[in-house]
Every structure is written in C-alpha cells, then in structure tokens.
Amino acid sequence: MTRVSLSRLPGERVRAVDGGTDREVPVSDLPAYVTAREAEAPRWVWDDTARWYPSLLAAGVRVQRCHDLRLGHHLLRRAPAVDGRLLAGEESEHWDRLGPSARSDPALFSIDDTAEHLRADLEDARQLAAVAASPEATRLELLLAAESSGALVAAEMTFAGVPWRLDVHERLLTDLLGPRPLRGTRPQKLQALAAEVRGAFDAPGLNPDSRPELLAALRRAGLEVTDTRASSLRALEHPGIGALLRYKQLAHLFSTNGWAWIDEWVSGGRFRPSYQPAGSSTGRWSSNGGGALSFPLQVRPAAVADDGWQFVVADVAQLEPRVLAGMSGDRALARSARGADLYQGMVDDGAVASRTDAKLGLLGAMYGATSGASGRMVADLTRRYPAAFGLVEEAARAGEQGQVVRTLLGRGSPDLGDAWDRDADDPPADPDSQARLRRAYGRFTRNFVVQGTGAEWALCWIADLRNRLWRLGATGTLTSRPHLVFFLHDEVVVHTPAALAEAVAAQAAEAAATAAGLLFRDLSIDFPLNVSIVRSYADAGKPGLTAEPVAPGASRPQT
DNA sequence: TATAGCAGCGCC
DNA sequence: AGGGCGCTGCTATA
C-alpha cells in the first residue's frame, strides 16, 4: 500500500510526497487529488486528521485510511516499547509540542509558523522506523491504524451529526421549564420552584444557585449538612427538600442542555459535538464541545432518526471486565464471560453469591477499592480469578513504585512526574503526601491498563464497523449510507435507512467479534452487544421494543 | 473585569 | 480516601 503524505506549505499550496515524488498542488485541487488516488487505496499521511478531513468531507470525499502523525507521535513518544531517540530529528520538537487542533478554528492548531507547516514526510519516516525497530511492532502497527481510523470516524461523526428534532427538544424544555426566558432570567417554572424553596426555608432573599447561601439557609432550618449535593439532600427530612431537589434538577437541565445549548450545538437539524480521539491519557476519547461525554437521558428523546431511517444503538455489556479476562488470559473469568451477563456468569460458576457482589468485586479490583463491601469482595475473588486480579494488582504496584505501565497494544501511561506536574505546584515534600500521591498513581495505573485496553478494543470495533457500514451501502455519499453518528467508550449509534437496520445490527456484532480476535486472538472472549433498533435514541435499551428480531420491512418508521 | 479553582452534575 | 472525562455557575483572587 502506498503512503501519500500531505503537508501544508506557506500560502495556498500543499506538498504531496507520493511514492518518492515530491510535488506541490494548490489547496483547491486537493479533493480532486485525494479522490483520484483513493481508487488505489493509499494511506493518507497528514499532521492532523481534524485539520484536513472536514474540508474533504465537505467536498464529498471519504478517505479510506490515513495515518495521523500527531496522534502517532504522541502515542509513540510514550510507548515503553519504542526507542524515543528514533523519533528525534528535524522539526521533531514541534511534533512534541503539538496539541489538538481546535474544533472551530483550525488556525489555533499552530504554535508558530514552523508548526503550521511541518514536513509530514519526514515525521512519517521517523515513525515508521521507530515502529519497525520495536519488539512490539505488530501490536503498535495495529494500535496506530486503529487510532487513525478513530480520527476518521470522529471527523465523520462531527460532519454527519446526530439527527436532532428541535421541536421535540423545545417542547420538552417548555413542558418542564416554561417558555424560553429572556437572557439572564430564570424560566417561569424554575422561578416558581425557587420561590417555593425560599418560602419553605423562610429565606426570602435566597439564591438557590449559591452554595454558601443555600447551606446557611439549610442550617438555619436545623438541618445538619456540609454540602449541597442532591444525594446528601435526599437523606434530609424537611418539607422544602422536595422542591429544592426538583429545582436543582431543572436548573441543571436549563443551564446544561437548555436553549443556549441548542443555539450553540444544534444546526441544520443535527447535533454536532466535537470529539478528541485519545483526548484522555488512557486513550479514551474526550470531547471539547457539545458535551458529547454526557449525552443526558433527559434530552435523548430529541435524537430522532430521519423519516425512513432508524438508529441502531449498540453497546457492549461489561466491556472492561471482558477486556481484563482477555488481556490477563484468565480462563476462569473468560468462562464466566461466556454469555450476555458476565456478572451472572460469575454467580453461575459459583465464584460469588450474588450479581451485586460480583460487580462490586470486579469494579473494586479495577478501581482500587480497599475498604467496604467492595474491598472485601476483591479479596474473595482474587482466589477465584488469580490471573485477572493479579494483573491489575501488579499494575497498581508498578505505579506505586513509580513505574510506567502499558496497555495490551502498547500505549504507555504518563509517568509519575507528569502526574505531579499536573496535580501540585510544589513537589510534595513530606513523606505522607508523597506516599499518598504514589498510592493515587497506583490506582491510576491499575485502572489505566484495563481502561486503556478497553479503549483499544473499542477503537478496533468502530474502525471495523466503519468499513462494514461503507460496504453495506452500495452507492452514495457518506450520509446517504448507514453511518456512525455517535460513539462513547463502549456504545455506538448508527443512522441507517430502515431497510438496512437489521443488517447494520449484524455488522455491529461481527465487528465486535473482529475486534476481540484482533486483541485476544484464540482466547475467544465473548463481547455480546445490546442492540436496539429505534427511531429515538431515548428508546434504546428498553426491553420489549426490539427484543424480538424484526422482519425486514416491519421496522418502518413510526410517527 | 477577567480568570482560575471548586462544587456539583452528567456520562462511561 | 474507587478510575476516566466536560460543562456550568459561583466564588475568590488579582
């Protein structure tokens, strides 16, 4: 497969290094150039997918595969199995400093002029050499390919957007809050609740949004509270608490996903959040706009497929415990993982008395719980699943000793020094706080290996699904075929013509099996999906709606 | 007046 | 003393 590297040159020109030929093309020729080459399926190599791909998508071009040098550099720099010296060279310090390009302003990508016109071909050669020299070359190649595919998916999802019914969202807001208020004022129903709270606590001037004021009012009413969290308030006995809790819930809806959110993030009937692949240190994506990481249940009814289309919503049941079983090669846990419910599998295997205990113990092991019911379950289960629990325990010990850990495919954790830089201005002096930090870092590395490998599984899943979806639609542009519109850690939403919904659901399951094979080979870990075929995202996961396989044609849109 | 930090909430 | 995120408003600080 050929590699074509693209670099921006000063002015409206692009350097394309193509099988050894170095040529300049005008930016305006780029979509045509990319399309012409796509038939030969090269890998497009560029500094940042988010910088190049949106305009190509707008021009109707779908890129089949790419290598994202920014993501690659970041990854290889921290990969324990890579010799960092091989990444050094001309302009390499600029690649070290490169951050993600901004969602709305690609100009922010640059740190300075040099960074804006980095030579992609030079960096590409270094990365190829660094990988080739690594004893983990095969796994790193898979990881880099998955990471870059993820970047393509992210750009495509932002381009496509989640179908969004403004009327549904606004009706929902009006029903709960009243008509849209003037800027800077509370909506009617929120205002009324605030008045009710003031009355109940006999605090005429109270602003319920102010923590100190609210705490003072609660204390005056004889309630012993130290914070104003809903979970703390729920335990209190007072006639005003109900109104206060309702106020808090609606105030959150108003400020987080109210009219201002619509103005900012919904356009042309689509919600377009922006994604940042590998935005978190574990390799999970983050989001720097639109709040894609917390797509609240309250507003999901507004996500409605187009007429004649449906959503296929698929999520993995207990992704991380399954990943832990796979990466540790724990045969007992792998056996419990056969079937749709891993926790129930643990009960059926006689490892634990109840599903709740199974969950407590497993999550406790992955998060580093040391006390309470969770901590006790960890101790019990360690005897039953020594390989799995040993793996996270070892990762925790490594972290406590200041060592770097890695995911299955070779992503390295940030080192303890970075963690200190992040958390404290001064290097911790006294032994106590140093020990505390080391334990905190140990909990982080413990979770890193599982969460990070889970992220790798998910990347392989969506990368393969992306290709399958493209093949499923015989013709047409990206958004006239089945296409991904949302991804969050272990869940995807595909927008598809209704007639293809069943096929999409099958492809999602096939892609999950492919991902499992790529990461865990012959260990054959099950990754069962919960799949819903729905018109509205809010209906996903509800039993009964899609429990029975739907005959093709039976799943036509309802109104 | 602008900004950083925190609390609280949402998601996995 | 359970991991990872982002967003909002309030609060303190300069």
Side-chain angles (χ1 to χ4, degrees):
Chain A
M1 184 202 311
T2 58
R3 300 173 81 87
V4 182
S5 73
L6 300 176
S7 316
R8 299 234 177 217
L9 296 169
E12 288 297 297
R13 301 190 69 77
V14 168
R15 177 201 302 274
V17 179
D18 181 354
T21 347
D22 190 341
R23 73 184 86 177
E24 283 188 28
V25 294
V27 167
S28 54
D29 284 357
L30 200 55
Y33 184 69
V34 171
T35 310
R37 290 304 312 265
E38 196 183 0
E40 302 164 41
R43 189 179 295 278
W44 293 94
V45 179
W46 48 41
D47 48 28
D48 188 343
T49 305
R51 199 178 175 222
W52 294 85
Y53 200 22
S55 56
L56 293 175
L57 285 166
V61 176
R62 177 198 185 258
V63 167
Q64 196 168 334
R65 52 173 75 90
C66 78
H67 178 76
D68 186 305
L69 291 168
R70 182 182 69 83
L71 293 172
H73 187 90
H74 187 87
L75 213 161
L76 295 174
R77 258 272 173 260
R78 286 156 190 79
V82 167
D83 181 352
R85 289 169 301 187
L86 296 173
L87 292 168
E90 194 181 335
E91 296 179 339
S92 62
E93 73 282 4
H94 292 287
W95 290 97
D96 287 339
R97 289 156 54 202
L98 220 49
S101 66
R103 162 185 57 88
S104 51
D105 186 3
L108 292 179
F109 171 82
S110 65
I111 297 160
D112 52 43
D113 276 357
T114 315
E116 197 172 322
H117 307 296
L118 290 172
R119 284 277 301 271
D121 53 330
L122 300 181
E123 173 65 13
D124 189 34
R126 286 193 292 265
Q127 293 191 12
L128 286 170
V131 172
S134 168
E136 301 283 331
T138 307
R139 288 176 172 185
L140 288 169
E141 277 162 9
L142 174 58
L143 178 52
L144 289 169
E147 188 102 314
S148 293
S149 279
L152 294 175
V153 170
E156 289 170 4
M157 291 196 306
T158 301
F159 172 75
V162 183
W164 202 263
R165 284 272 298 273
L166 264 188
D167 57 328
V168 173
H169 190 164
E170 281 175 346
R171 193 177 343 117
L172 186 153
L173 292 177
T174 308
D175 287 350
L176 291 167
L177 298 165
R180 178 174 193 165
L182 294 175
R183 243 181 87 81
T185 63
R186 289 195 182 95
Q188 241 171 48
K189 301 203 177 185
L190 211 47
Q191 197 66 266
L193 276 171
E196 199 180 329
V197 170
R198 289 190 197 104
F201 290 98
D202 195 23
L206 171 68
N207 169 15
D209 292 328
S210 162
R211 246 170 308 128
E213 284 184 38
L214 185 57
L215 268 181
L218 292 167
R219 292 232 181 82
R220 266 201 311 276
L223 298 169
E224 287 182 29
V225 278
T226 54
D227 62 76
T228 63
R229 261 172 280 173
S231 58
S232 307
L233 298 180
R234 245 185 292 278
L236 302 176
E237 293 280 341
H238 188 282
I241 288 295
L244 178 54
L245 287 171
R246 253 178 321 184
Y247 175 86
K248 285 177 76 81
Q249 193 197 1
L250 290 180
H252 188 257
L253 171 67
F254 173 58
S255 62
T256 308
N257 293 102
W259 291 273
W261 181 88
I262 293 177
D263 291 346
E264 176 93 22
W265 297 109
V266 181
S267 61
R270 294 290 188 267
F271 164 43
R272 300 172 195 279
S274 83
Y275 300 90
Q276 204 181 114
S280 102
S281 60
T282 58
R284 274 189 176 182
W285 292 14
S286 66
S287 150
N288 53 9
L293 266 69
S294 54
F295 198 144
L297 293 167
Q298 266 188 308
V299 298
R300 288 190 190 185
V304 179
D306 289 350
D307 285 342
W309 288 58
Q310 300 225 286
F311 288 137
V312 177
V313 182
D315 70 79
V316 189
Q318 306 104 24
L319 172 61
E320 287 174 0
R322 292 172 194 279
V323 162
L324 176 58
M327 67 190 300
S328 65
D330 193 309
R331 294 190 180 280
L333 191 55
R335 193 172 55 243
S336 298
R338 302 259 158 79
D341 187 342
L342 179 141
Y343 301 129
Q344 188 57 44
M346 291 166 69
V347 177
D348 297 343
D349 268 10
V352 70
S354 73
R355 201 179 171 282
T356 309
D357 285 352
K359 194 171 176 175
L360 273 176
L362 216 35
L363 293 180
M366 292 188 295
Y367 291 153
T370 55
S371 63
S374 187
R376 282 195 296 280
M377 289 315 304
V378 172
D380 288 352
L381 286 169
T382 299
R383 286 187 284 279
R384 197 73 183 207
Y385 304 109
F389 281 60
L391 185 143
V392 286
E393 200 55 44
E394 195 185 333
R397 276 199 295 274
E400 285 168 10
Q401 289 161 24
Q403 292 166 356
V404 163
V405 296
R406 68 182 82 180
T407 61
L408 182 64
L409 294 186
R411 190 188 304 270
S413 61
D415 66 38
L416 186 53
D418 291 345
W420 281 357
D421 290 346
R422 228 188 20 242
D423 292 345
D425 325 54
D426 321 303
D430 63 298
D432 271 4
S433 55
Q434 266 201 24
R436 220 177 3 255
L437 273 173
R438 284 179 178 281
R439 280 196 300 273
Y441 185 67
R443 283 192 301 278
F444 168 68
T445 52
R446 169 195 292 274
N447 186 255
F448 178 93
V449 293
V450 182
Q451 186 185 122
T453 306
E456 287 165 354
W457 184 93
L459 275 179
C460 290
W461 182 39
I462 60 170
D464 190 50
L465 179 56
R466 169 181 184 264
N467 292 331
R468 290 170 178 276
L469 293 177
W470 183 252
R471 291 197 292 268
L472 212 51
T475 56
T477 61
L478 178 72
T479 49
S480 70
R481 308 182 186 205
H483 59 280
L484 284 155
V485 293
F486 190 68
F487 165 63
L488 182 57
H489 307 323
D490 63 357
E491 176 171 8
V492 295
V493 180
V494 176
H495 192 216
T496 178
L500 291 174
E502 290 295 338
V504 167
Q507 293 301 316
E510 293 277 337
T514 302
L518 281 171
L519 263 70
F520 308 122
R521 312 216 166 227
D522 48 350
L523 261 169
S524 78
I525 308 290
D526 285 346
F527 285 86
L529 304 182
N530 301 311
V531 184
S532 305
I533 297 171
V534 290
R535 288 233 63 214
S536 167
Y537 191 12
D539 296 328
K542 289 182 184 171
L545 277 175
T546 55
E548 298 298 316
V550 186
S555 52
R556 71 175 58 88
Q558 313 122 35
T559 45

